[in-house]
Amino acid sequence: MNKENRIHNAALRSKVMSATEAASLIQSGMNVGMSGFTGSGYPKAVPSALAKHIMDANLNGKRFKIGVWTGASTAPELDGALAMVDGIEMRLPYQSDPTCRKRINAGEMEYIDIHLSHVAQFVWFGFLGKLDVAVVEVAGILEDGRLIPSSSIGNNKTWLDQADKVILEVNSWQSAQLEGMHDIWYGTQLPPNRQPIPLVRSSDRIGEPYLRCDPEKVIAVVETHAPDRNSAFAPPDENSKKIAGHILEFLQHEVKKGRLPRELLPLQSGVGNIANAVMAGLNEGPFENLTAYTEVLQDGMLEMLKSGKLASASATAFSLSNQALAELNADLAKYRERIILRPQEISNHPEVIRRLGIIAMNGLIEADIYGNVNSTHVMGSKIMNGIGGSGDFARNAYLSIFMTPSQAKGGAISCIVPMASHVDHTEHDVQVLVTEQGLADLRGLSPKQRAKVIIENCAHPNFKPALSDYYKRALEFSPGKQTPHLLEEVFGWHLRALRGERM
């Protein structure tokens, strides 16, 4: 398809305008819901045009800021461009942009870090205020006005339903063969009228392949032809391979013990090189007919689909390298039957995660000796990205696995610490902790038992003696013996790091 025949609805075609014209319809103080999830399916033209509009306003002495709501992270053309001109008053629910991060940590931008499954319902409940405008990328518009979703869905269904006004970007770069891959469920109700989500297998389709939108709300349609921002992943390093090896060995052990079926249970994997290394290990491992129920489909899962190890994958977005994306688009008709993209309120829904029995595997910044996990903050106060969907999966998974190298910053910092400087996942939601040093199975263990296993199996040898010494003294001198700590020195490791010293 070319740009001219991606818009088949006459009424919406009459609303085609430039990105600059569309951006001028967004006013300062508005909350704007934008499409986009991990660099896929975000609007390519309107945010950049809006950034220029904001910069011009600022130069004329007019303060211009908006609230930016998305599915998750986006791209430099959206987050980066708007943050560069100081145009974001409030950002939610997740970001990974360096300029955004810098402004947030400098106190120049407000940021609400939210479980991704909560965002849509919070908007429906009215908890976040009024959603003024939605800016959503689609791959096409049908004659009856239904929308062909793009390479991510995220919160697009909610943005289109809840926004007062809608701006559509129709991106002809996105493959026309995306049509039919999506599954949009319109059965969500507000309490007390909610009904069970009728999804009992990860491969179930319970909705329809198109997004609905009241054409009367559409104030602009912008035609684009621009690629997604694709993330390049480094080849797995030795630490990543070791972590993957520990996880595969553990899963095989669980099968032998009868706690997992031979084809395992649906897999969820966070974003990053360690996650891809685990997928590579599974692709070479003994398990067959695997399934995935996750947020993001990365290179590793695409390789598993290609090899046949993975029978099907459900997600809300792609996050692929250039090479993997080219492979996907070259054979999209085949993959379309085995990949389902859903709204994130379904891909991350606790009800579905618990029913399916997900094996959740996510990364972290640091974990403490009792298994509390910090996924979001460096040294307790500086945001890195956000909790994303890790909490949705960790609390409700059949198996909740967190993985990390045992040390960072060239060995100057231990990723296993006496007490986490910020906690996103409490010890109650962390069942397995893995580093390249080994795996700690924390199920059925008390806090003191957990501490011994984590220090012994997961800590780096350079830090293990100090952690053991801390725990021994805490056990002796702590006023409480359930979770022993020495409060006068518990953050001493972090304080030394902040001074530029070795932990």
Side-chain angles (χ1 to χ4, degrees), residues 367-373 425-428 430 433 442 450 454:
D368 67 28
I369 59 175
Y370 297 110
N372 298 290
V373 165
H425 312 282
T426 70
E427 61 187 278
H428 312 290
V430 181
L433 190 61
L442 307 177
R450 292 162 73 97
I454 290 172

Side-chain angles (χ1 to χ4, degrees), residues 17-219:
M17 62 182 70
S18 70
T20 300
E21 291 170 319
S24 71
L25 302 174
I26 299 173
Q27 303 302 311
S28 181
M30 286 184 167
N31 288 322
V32 183
M34 299 206 189
S35 61
F37 199 109
T38 57
S40 293
Y42 60 92
K44 309 297 190 293
V46 172
S48 297
L50 178 60
K52 185 179 185 307
H53 185 62
I54 292 172
M55 182 176 65
D56 292 341
N58 290 340
L59 290 173
N60 289 319
K62 298 177 182 178
R63 186 176 181 273
F64 194 124
K65 289 195 174 189
I66 61 170
V68 176
W69 308 353
T70 62
S73 57
T74 61
E77 303 97 297
L78 196 164
D79 273 325
L82 292 172
M84 190 72 70
V85 297
D86 196 18
I88 303 176
E89 180 70 35
M90 171 67 77
R91 182 71 175 88
L92 62 88
Y94 183 91
Q95 59 76 43
S96 62
D97 181 80
T99 309
C100 268
R101 186 183 304 125
K102 183 178 179 180
R103 288 202 179 275
I104 292 165
N105 287 323
E108 299 166 356
M109 181 191 302
E110 298 300 325
Y111 177 51
I112 308 178
D113 181 18
I114 308 176
H115 294 298
L116 295 188
S117 71
H118 287 179
V119 182
Q121 69 173 10
F122 281 6
V123 176
W124 279 94
F125 296 166
F127 290 176
L128 303 178
K130 179 183 176 184
L131 181 59
D132 298 287
V133 181
V135 183
V136 175
E137 179 182 275
V138 297
I141 302 175
L142 301 181
E143 189 174 356
D144 61 8
R146 288 178 298 168
L147 309 175
I148 302 171
S150 184
S151 51
S152 71
I153 296 183
N155 287 314
N156 294 352
K157 168 186 167 288
T158 297
W159 298 165
L160 294 168
D161 285 345
Q162 291 293 298
D164 288 344
K165 300 174 181 178
V166 173
I167 297 171
L168 297 174
E169 282 198 11
V170 182
N171 187 357
S172 60
W173 180 88
Q174 299 285 4
S175 173
Q177 294 189 69
L178 283 169
E179 185 175 0
M181 178 178 282
H182 311 85
D183 186 62
I184 318 296
W185 191 56
Y186 279 94
T188 304
Q189 300 291 328
L190 296 179
N193 300 311
R194 282 186 166 169
Q195 298 294 315
I197 298 168
L199 201 159
V200 297
R201 290 178 298 275
S202 60
S203 58
D204 283 351
R205 292 181 181 270
I206 61 174
E208 55 195 71
Y210 305 106
L211 289 162
R212 305 174 191 170
C213 180
D214 179 358
E216 297 299 317
K217 296 203 300 186
V218 179
I219 58 174

Side-chain angles (χ1 to χ4, degrees), residues 387-402:
I387 195 168
S390 58
D392 299 325
F393 285 93
R395 173 153 293 187
N396 300 286
Y398 181 85
L399 280 174
S400 173
I401 302 171
F402 281 91

